[in-house]
Amino acid sequence: MNTTITMKKHNYSAGPCILPQEVFEKSADAILNFNNSGLSLLEISHRSKDFVAVMDEARDLALELLDLKGKGYQALFLHGGASLEFLMVPYNLMKTDGKAAYLDTGTWASAAIKEAKLFGETVVVASSKDQNYNHIPKGYTVPEDANYFHCTSNNTIFGTQMKSFPNVSIPVVCDMSSDIFSRVLDFSKFDIIYAGAQKNMGPAGTTLVVVKEEILGKSGRVIPSMLDYEKHIKAESMYNTPAVFPVYASLLTLQWLKKLGGIAAVEKLNNAKAELLYNEIDRNPYFKGAANVEDRSNMNAVFLLENEEHASVFDTLWKEAGISGLPGHRSVGGYRASMYNALPIESVQVLVDVMQDFESKVSGMNF
Ligand SMILES: *Cc1c(COP(=O)(O)O)cnc(C)c1O
């Protein structure tokens, strides 16, 4: 069987997203014959020795890469996407008569706020909604009597990214769905980090939750088993049947990242890719960036045409160049180039070349 992809596209999809080619190949192998067992990964028990080893290694490696091993944290691979964490977080952390503080930086942040409001008083410390989320609010105060502070490190839709995080004494919860494992942070400043796998870690179907154990068990709520972090920790992330394939493919991605040199190494590549593209957006008179420069995301670059009438010319050019997944989210319009860990810099160069080609074409046209 020939499974080699000869016409691989330059994949800018915001999610589910590009993964390393070796992850696709090794996952395909495991579906046909897992660990030379004569069985598919998809037909073995999740309690088998071979799969338990996968889960254990994935949990361990996630903590290792985040430099959180031996620091009181547990890593879980749960179901329900980042969206389920929007309610698991208040369920587990917000006291019955307590309150929570949220920073509203985009569509996903506001979706998290909506769920928290079902549980109790939810203070929005700042919001950039009135400017269509084109920046990260600064200079806000977090009430220290809240049970936790929640923020979104990278706003996938609007292309903004938090470059710093407030120093607060209460637990900090961060939705890192679209920039987990992309840049070095002091992850020990966070008490819960969660990320749907499909943006930068693996296929859709599992969510990484990293939680500091000491903050749990204080909400005073009766929590349904499947929503209780403590139950999942006790069951070593096997409270029920885990998403075996997404967990396995996530493990392969984490192994790939470790081989590459870990987060610090991939951050350098991500910075180079972002610099290459943003330089072109700023230089090219036919494009403009959507987000404030200081808050620009290194993962999702959102940009617009100066003149919408040129859209069909540009769209034809990038499609001809083998680029996929470039149209922006409907709430911003324009284009969004998602440059997750596995996107090679060569793909960014192809896009930059197309933008320059476009410039020379339209500068000679009369609209
Ligand atoms: C995509 C995304 C989500 C939603 O993830 P699901 O896994 O689909 O629930 C939440 N937060 C951020 C930042 C995202 O990019």
Side-chain angles (χ1 to χ4, degrees), residues 309-318 358 361-362 365 367:
E309 285 173 32
H310 295 151
S312 65
V313 180
F314 182 55
D315 292 348
T316 304
L317 285 175
W318 62 258
F358 170 74
K361 281 216 164 58
V362 291
M365 276 176 164
F367 271 86

Side-chain angles (χ1 to χ4, degrees), residues 254-281:
L254 297 178
Q255 288 171 336
W256 167 84
L257 180 56
K258 183 175 173 173
K259 252 192 315 182
L260 196 76
I263 297 179
V266 87
E267 180 178 24
K268 282 201 188 113
L269 302 174
N270 289 334
N271 288 344
K273 289 184 282 180
E275 198 183 323
L276 180 60
L277 182 56
Y278 282 122
N279 280 347
E280 180 60 20
I281 291 169

Side-chain angles (χ1 to χ4, degrees), residues 105-298:
T105 52
T107 307
W108 298 116
S110 71
I113 291 165
K114 184 167 166 242
E115 300 304 291
K117 283 181 175 165
L118 299 172
F119 293 85
E121 188 186 345
T122 303
V123 181
V124 177
V125 297
S127 172
S128 47
K129 186 173 184 192
D130 60 350
Q131 290 173 64
N132 205 28
Y133 296 117
N134 69 355
H135 69 284
I136 304 283
K138 321 232 165 31
Y140 50 85
T141 316
V142 176
E144 300 273 333
D145 60 340
N147 300 136
Y148 63 92
F149 169 66
H150 179 283
C151 57
T152 310
S153 56
N154 185 72
N155 298 285
T156 327
I157 292 174
F158 299 92
T160 61
Q161 189 172 34
M162 293 178 76
K163 307 293 173 182
S164 63
F165 296 84
N167 274 319
V168 291
S169 59
I170 58 176
V172 177
V173 179
C174 191
D175 175 359
M176 293 196 189
S177 291
S178 51
D179 69 352
I180 185 101
F181 300 119
S182 75
R183 57 172 171 164
V184 175
L185 293 173
D186 179 357
F187 295 101
S188 70
K189 285 201 167 148
F190 302 92
D191 298 86
I192 292 182
I193 294 166
Y194 62 88
Q198 70 276 13
K199 302 283 171 37
N200 208 22
M201 186 180 71
T206 192
T207 313
L208 173 65
V209 178
V210 173
V211 53
K212 195 168 196 179
E213 267 187 283
E214 67 179 32
I215 68 164
L216 298 175
K218 297 175 180 167
S219 76
R221 289 178 195 272
V222 178
I223 306 171
S225 304
M226 272 296 281
L227 303 179
D228 186 345
Y229 292 129
E230 287 188 302
K231 288 237 165 55
H232 286 289
I233 290 169
K234 199 153 166 259
E236 301 182 334
S237 207
M238 295 257 204
Y239 182 80
N240 73 327
T241 315
V244 289
F245 181 75
V247 171
Y248 182 67
S250 297
L251 170 61
L252 294 176
T253 311
L254 297 178
Q255 288 171 336
W256 167 84
L257 180 56
K258 183 175 173 173
K259 252 192 315 182
L260 196 76
I263 297 179
V266 87
E267 180 178 24
K268 282 201 188 113
L269 302 174
N270 289 334
N271 288 344
K273 289 184 282 180
E275 198 183 323
L276 180 60
L277 182 56
Y278 282 122
N279 280 347
E280 180 60 20
I281 291 169
D282 292 340
R283 183 209 62 80
N284 193 314
Y286 294 93
F287 294 96
K288 59 181 176 209
N292 281 11
V293 172
E294 61 179 8
D295 300 323
R296 279 173 167 174
S297 165
N298 279 4

Side-chain angles (χ1 to χ4, degrees), residues 62-69 71 185-188 263:
L63 292 181
E64 180 186 323
L65 289 164
L66 297 169
D67 195 18
L68 289 177
K69 263 181 92 164
K71 296 182 181 172
L185 293 173
D186 179 357
F187 295 101
S188 70
I263 297 179

